[in-house]
Each structure stands twice: as structure tokens, then as C-alpha cells.
Amino acid sequence: MKRFTNSLLALALCGAWGVAQAQAPAAQTGTAPAKKDFTACFAAWDKDMHTLQTDFTQTTEYDGVQISRSQGRIYYRQAGTLLRLDNLDGGQITQSALTDKKQIYVLDEKGKLVTQVAWQEWLSGQPNQALFDFGRYTALLSRHRTEEFARLGGQVVLRLTPKTQPAEYILYVALNEKTCFPQAITVQADLMKTTALLTDPVLNAGLKKDLFKELNK
């Protein structure tokens, strides 16, 4: 049985993301500006993103109790659909995962191959698959019903529910109100909640050539 309501979840998300509720805008006269379509803005942002570097912190809670936490850095290159995720501890890499979204290579802290698995097999075990969907958010949006859920301190939170029934989870994406960058991604499945915070993003800048060298072997 689901033990949260929309209002309670909105407050929880506000606390988790460390943002204050935005003040209501002052009354204006004249013609009101057209309402921004944040779903379309998010899809356009994803399409126009050629490279991305961003830090992340991901936590998973069960019934309000944190059961896991990881942090690191993500690199994405649209050409070739290349993705690298480095788990960090004290600024040092503890494990890396690289993929072209066909095969995935898991490396240890020294860059030595630990295992190789199919992308879809690995992805199926991830509680927050949307964190790894860079370049494919348009397809993600097409599989969900999307509505504006809340506005919190410069962020617009979209709520995505699967079009297939029964809906086994709800996805929340907190977009930067100006740029539509996904600053937080949360998946809620009954009592389980996984949240990824994305910080210090660098878009469409050059990435080091050797970041994806293992994919060329």
C-alpha cells in the first residue's frame, strides 16, 4: 500500500533537493505571457545536448530509511551514444562503468576490466534507469503521461506515470526553470524511493579522448 500523498511528497522532494518554495509572482496587468511547455523544453534540451559532464549523488530509501548512497561523475557523448559513470570515494575512482548502450564494461579502481554484460541486462537492475537515459529522454517522455507537479525555488517538477497499466512506479524530474536541465530525478515505487541529484553540469564542451578508450578495444 502506498504511504504517501502528493502534498507530503512535494515537501519531501523540497527537503531532499535543498530548495525553498518559490514566492508567488506579483500580480501583473496586460496580456499574460504564454505558459512554457516544460515537457517540450526538456525534450529539446536532450536533443541539443552533444556532450555532458555532471557530478551525481544517488540515494535509495525504503519506507523513509536510507539503504544506499553513491556519488561520482557522469560523462556522456551523443556521437556513438557513449556513457561513462565513475563512482568516487574521497575524490578517488572506486569503480567505472562504460557503455555504448549495447555492451557495458565495468572496471575496477585501477582501470582493469572486472566484467562485461549486455546494456539491457545491467540496466534492468538499476532502480533509477532515467539517470542513464541521456540522449533518449524524448522516448522516455513518449512512454509516460507527463504533468507539472510543483514549482520549487527555480525548479519545475514534472511527474511522469507510465502509460501501461498498472503503473508500478512514478517518476519525478526536477528541471531548472530557465535551462530545463534535470537537476534531480526521483523514482517512487511503493515504499522504495531512489533520488539522483545532478550538480555542476558542463554541457557541449570537449571531453578527454581517453574517457571512452575501453570501448574502442
Side-chain angles (χ1 to χ4, degrees):
M1 177 179 180
K2 295 183 178 180
R3 297 174 55 186
F4 64 91
T5 64
N6 287 350
S7 59
L8 290 176
L9 185 56
L11 292 175
L13 292 175
C14 179
W17 297 333
V19 294
Q21 294 186 3
Q23 295 180 349
Q28 298 179 353
T29 59
T31 303
K35 184 177 180 180
K36 187 173 181 178
D37 185 340
F38 284 98
T39 300
C41 183
F42 183 32
W45 171 86
D46 191 49
K47 181 180 179 181
D48 293 338
M49 178 182 59
H50 303 294
T51 65
L52 172 67
Q53 174 184 312
T54 181
D55 292 342
F56 77 92
T57 300
Q58 180 165 287
T59 57
T60 297
E61 300 177 0
Y62 182 80
D63 199 13
V65 179
Q66 182 174 302
I67 58 176
S68 69
R69 183 180 186 276
S70 61
Q71 61 184 13
R73 185 164 297 150
I74 294 173
Y75 304 90
Y76 169 77
R77 179 177 292 158
Q78 185 185 70
T81 319
L82 305 180
L83 182 70
R84 177 185 178 116
L85 186 149
D86 290 337
N87 285 315
L88 301 174
D89 184 6
Q92 300 297 315
I93 295 176
T94 59
Q95 189 179 74
S96 299
L98 296 89
T99 184
D100 55 5
K101 297 196 175 182
K102 296 177 183 177
Q103 293 291 317
I104 183 166
Y105 303 85
V106 179
L107 313 177
D108 65 14
E109 71 279 4
K110 296 181 180 179
K112 183 178 179 181
L113 181 65
V114 175
T115 188
Q116 175 182 345
V117 296
W119 163 256
Q120 288 298 332
E121 179 183 347
W122 179 81
L123 190 66
S124 64
Q126 300 302 312
N128 198 342
Q129 296 184 13
L131 175 60
F132 308 98
D133 249 351
F134 298 116
R136 299 185 181 183
Y137 282 125
T138 299
L140 179 77
L141 290 167
S142 70
R143 300 193 301 269
H144 293 79
R145 296 181 180 88
T146 306
E147 62 180 328
E148 187 176 310
F149 176 68
R151 295 198 179 207
L152 306 167
Q155 293 180 333
V156 176
V157 183
L158 300 180
R159 177 170 59 187
L160 284 68
T161 53
K163 292 180 179 179
T164 56
Q165 296 296 329
E168 298 181 351
Y169 64 89
I170 302 176
L171 186 64
Y172 297 89
V173 182
L175 304 177
N176 181 289
E177 194 168 7
K178 294 182 178 179
T179 66
C180 292
F181 175 75
Q183 295 178 313
I185 303 170
T186 295
V187 60
Q188 179 85 44
D190 200 16
L191 298 180
M192 188 78 73
K193 182 176 76 171
T194 300
T195 298
L197 304 179
L198 304 183
T199 57
D200 299 324
V202 179
L203 278 73
N204 296 334
L207 297 177
K208 294 181 180 179
K209 294 182 179 179
D210 62 352
L211 280 173
F212 305 103
K213 63 182 180 181
E214 288 81 4
L215 297 175
N216 297 321
K217 294 180 179 180

